Structure formats: C-alpha cells, structure tokens
Amino acid sequence: MGVTREERPWGFYESLRMADNYQIKRIVVKPGAELSLQLHHKRAEHWVVVAGVADVTRDDQIIRLERDGHIYLPVECKHRIKNVGETDVEFIEVQVGDYLGEDDIVRFEDRYGRA
C-alpha cells in the first residue's frame, strides 16, 4: 500500500502503514485549526509531535505538546488537538486496536460542522 493523503478542513493526514491491528498516520494541522473533540470505541492512539506547538485535550485535561512531546489516548478517551502556534503542527499517530475504520469516531464538538 502506498501513502494516501486525505485533505481535511484543519489540514491533512497521510496513512503511512496499515496492518491488521495498527495504523500509522502523519497528521498536519494548520495554524489556528483543531480537530473535532472525539472518541473511539475500538482503538487507542499514541501521538508524537514532531513540529509545532499544540494543546491536546485528553478527557478534562489540556496538555501543551511541542516537538518530541507525546501522549497516549486510551480507548473511549475524549480527545482533540489544536494548533496554538504560528506554523503547522505535525505529529505521528499510531492507532492500535481490533478495528481501525474511519467510522469509529464519535464527535462531540466540531467547528467545521461535522458533529
């Protein structure tokens, strides 16, 4: 499988590797943009920021991450990432679970009208 790129209102992601129980993505978030507040029923995620400055919501916490910062988001944890800097935020997402489909998203808030 080659790299596939998906454009989103907040930036884009590229799927770098897909296997039976994990997927690796490179995600880029534009300055001032944010992903929806969401959770997943069937997968956990590990995020490693490689560029930029972001605020990550994990349930009721907000954690500032910069280059080399990382966070674990367990199954059914409400989460989102917001770019709070002036340059793109780039992070690597490793999804782990029995089901990795894009339809395993429950959105609670979304500034782009997808909730």
Side-chain angles (χ1 to χ4, degrees):
M1 175 180 126
V3 174
T4 59
R5 180 173 167 143
E6 294 285 333
E7 298 293 329
R8 293 293 186 261
W10 42 260
F12 68 90
Y13 72 85
E14 295 173 334
S15 183
L16 304 177
R17 176 83 167 106
M18 174 73 106
D20 288 340
N21 62 348
Y22 74 91
Q23 179 173 197
I24 302 169
K25 290 181 176 179
R26 173 181 169 252
I27 301 174
V28 175
V29 183
K30 298 182 281 193
E34 65 185 353
L35 279 66
S36 59
L37 181 63
Q38 60 188 254
L39 66 73
H40 310 289
H41 291 294
K42 300 183 180 182
R43 71 176 183 248
E45 296 178 347
H46 301 260
W47 292 353
V48 178
V49 173
V50 296
V53 181
D55 281 350
V56 175
T57 300
R58 181 176 61 193
D59 288 325
D60 57 359
Q61 298 176 295
I62 296 178
I63 299 119
R64 174 76 41 103
L65 292 181
E66 299 182 28
R67 182 173 172 240
D68 197 34
H70 57 90
I71 194 164
Y72 172 67
L73 305 164
V75 173
E76 297 190 337
C77 163
K78 284 186 183 178
H79 62 279
R80 91 164 117 213
I81 189 166
K82 179 178 183 177
N83 184 339
V84 296
E86 297 180 7
T87 60
D88 287 348
V89 164
E90 181 178 347
F91 67 102
I92 304 302
E93 175 180 274
V94 178
Q95 303 174 353
V96 179
D98 294 329
Y99 179 76
L100 305 170
E102 287 298 313
D103 58 342
D104 180 26
I105 296 177
V106 178
R107 287 190 173 95
F108 298 93
E109 297 173 9
D110 183 70
R111 72 161 65 163
Y112 310 106
R114 299 172 301 163

